[in-house]
Amino acid sequence: SQTVAESSIADLAAAMEDKMIHGVTDNGIKTYFTLNNILGGGLMPGRLLTIGARPGVGKSAFAVNLIIEALKQQPELTVDMFSLEMSNAENYNRLLACKTGISAGKFINPQKSLSDAEKVEVEKAGNVLKDYHLQLYDKQVELPQIVKTMRQRAADADKGYLAIVDYLGLIGVRSQADRRLQIEEITRQFKVLTNELGIPIVLLSQLSRGVENRQDKQPVLSDLRESGSIEQDSNAVGFLWNSDRQNERSDIRTVTLTIAKNREGALGSIDFNFFAPKLQFKVAY
């Protein structure tokens, strides 16, 4: 069986002394500046961040934007995106749309839809993307497969590792028949993995329909579907929601990310302008 090395009090005391003398080593993965601040330095090692949303708000698109932001600022980072809802080809199109600002619909038939200038931009973006340590997965749907891949990839990553899972409700756990117990198994394993490997994991989750029936559409922690373990095991929980009800179907709309639980930092909200055709999230200043 695998032996897990534990830190002694002496080790921890020495680490604290080192931080006091040489300063804190901030090794959080940077994405959006305002989100980095709320999370206390970015996506920090050993932390599970769950982001919940109702269908259609843009949680998968937000995950793609997080990847682009992280790789823009840390090009050597290793990033894995496990998508159980969309194919790798669909997610690649989303990455291209986000990177180039070209409407995602044009990638369905690029030969006819893209202008010559746009084709040049797409080629440039493709060359940048393929140089990153970025891997997309659409065939890994069972929890043990995903965990195994994360272990291998984190072990091989020299300059930091980030895993994004889209989304919780689609992960299979054959060892459990009861869905609530399956959810508990998933969140527990991911939380243990963040600590064991010293990595951040971003887990996307759907919210219950209850939020649609309320006058106040801002989600709350009890809207997380199926299990209290999501809230319990997550270091931080954020909700993406349409805060501007007038324009929630517009091409450009306000989507708010509200951090409703943050074990290691502040709570707060960030307003984003979501450019839906281009799938781009930009902080609304």
Side-chain angles (χ1 to χ4, degrees):
S1 66
Q2 215 173 358
T3 307
V4 178
E6 297 284 355
S7 302
S8 69
I9 292 294
D11 295 333
L12 297 169
M16 179 52 73
E17 282 177 32
D18 190 53
K19 284 178 186 174
M20 288 191 293
I21 296 164
H22 299 110
V24 175
T25 306
D26 175 7
N27 48 4
I29 293 167
K30 304 295 181 279
T31 57
Y32 293 100
F33 180 75
T34 40
L35 181 58
N36 299 336
N37 285 350
I38 289 179
L39 296 178
L43 299 169
M44 303 297 281
R47 295 189 192 167
L48 175 62
L49 167 63
T50 298
I51 297 176
R54 288 293 295 146
V57 174
K59 65 180 180 301
S60 297
F62 186 74
V64 165
N65 280 261
L66 275 184
I67 289 170
I68 294 289
E69 286 295 321
L71 288 169
K72 206 189 289 179
Q73 295 178 59
Q74 296 108 156
E76 297 298 309
L77 186 68
T78 297
V79 181
D80 284 343
M81 183 179 188
F82 299 88
S83 177
L84 294 88
E85 190 170 36
M86 296 191 183
S87 70
N88 288 341
E90 286 173 308
N91 276 320
Y92 183 71
N93 291 352
R94 285 171 164 244
L95 285 162
L96 284 176
C98 184
K99 192 96 179 124
T100 61
I102 295 167
S103 174
K106 291 191 172 187
F107 296 115
I108 295 165
N109 189 349
Q111 187 190 16
K112 289 185 177 172
S113 302
L114 295 174
S115 68
D116 288 344
E118 285 172 334
K119 285 175 182 173
V120 171
E121 287 304 306
V122 169
E123 198 174 333
K124 265 195 237 166
N127 286 331
V128 172
L129 287 169
K130 71 185 182 193
D131 280 344
Y132 290 139
H133 306 291
L134 168 62
Q135 185 69 47
L136 306 176
Y137 302 88
D138 62 4
K139 305 282 188 297
Q140 304 206 2
V141 296
E142 299 286 331
L143 180 62
Q145 292 176 307
I146 296 170
V147 168
K148 184 181 176 187
T149 302
M150 284 183 188
R151 278 189 205 283
Q152 289 170 339
R153 293 274 290 167
D156 293 340
D158 294 331
K159 306 280 184 174
Y161 176 75
L162 169 64
I164 295 183
V165 183
D166 180 18
Y167 65 96
L168 173 63
L170 297 176
I171 300 171
V173 184
R174 291 189 186 179
S175 58
Q176 291 286 3
D178 181 278
R179 189 57 189 159
R180 188 180 58 80
L181 294 176
Q182 287 181 2
I183 297 288
E184 287 179 10
E185 177 76 12
I186 295 163
T187 60
R188 173 62 11 201
Q189 284 221 30
F190 283 157
K191 178 62 215 132
V192 167
L193 213 55
T194 62
N195 287 341
E196 182 192 323
L197 303 177
I199 60 166
I201 295 174
V202 177
L203 177 61
L204 305 186
S205 177
Q206 271 201 14
L207 299 179
S208 67
R209 283 198 185 88
V211 71
E212 306 290 346
N213 305 323
R214 294 199 304 265
Q215 194 66 41
D216 181 1
K217 302 299 182 189
Q218 179 171 334
V220 293
L221 289 166
S222 57
D223 292 320
L224 288 165
R225 285 176 75 166
E226 295 167 303
S227 175
S229 74
I230 304 171
E231 178 190 346
Q232 184 183 308
D233 290 330
S234 302
N235 294 77
V237 176
F239 297 120
L240 277 177
W241 58 291
N242 290 312
S243 46
D244 180 2
R245 302 297 290 174
Q246 301 300 310
N247 296 309
E248 64 179 296
R249 293 282 168 248
S250 305
D251 281 354
I252 302 172
R253 54 185 182 263
T254 303
V255 175
T256 298
L257 175 66
T258 297
I259 302 296
K261 175 194 171 176
N262 191 1
R263 208 176 277 157
E264 289 86 7
L267 303 180
S269 290
I270 305 165
D271 288 336
F272 288 91
N273 291 323
F274 178 37
F275 299 83
K278 304 170 184 179
L279 300 168
Q280 289 179 328
F281 276 85
K282 296 188 183 297
V283 176
Y285 290 107

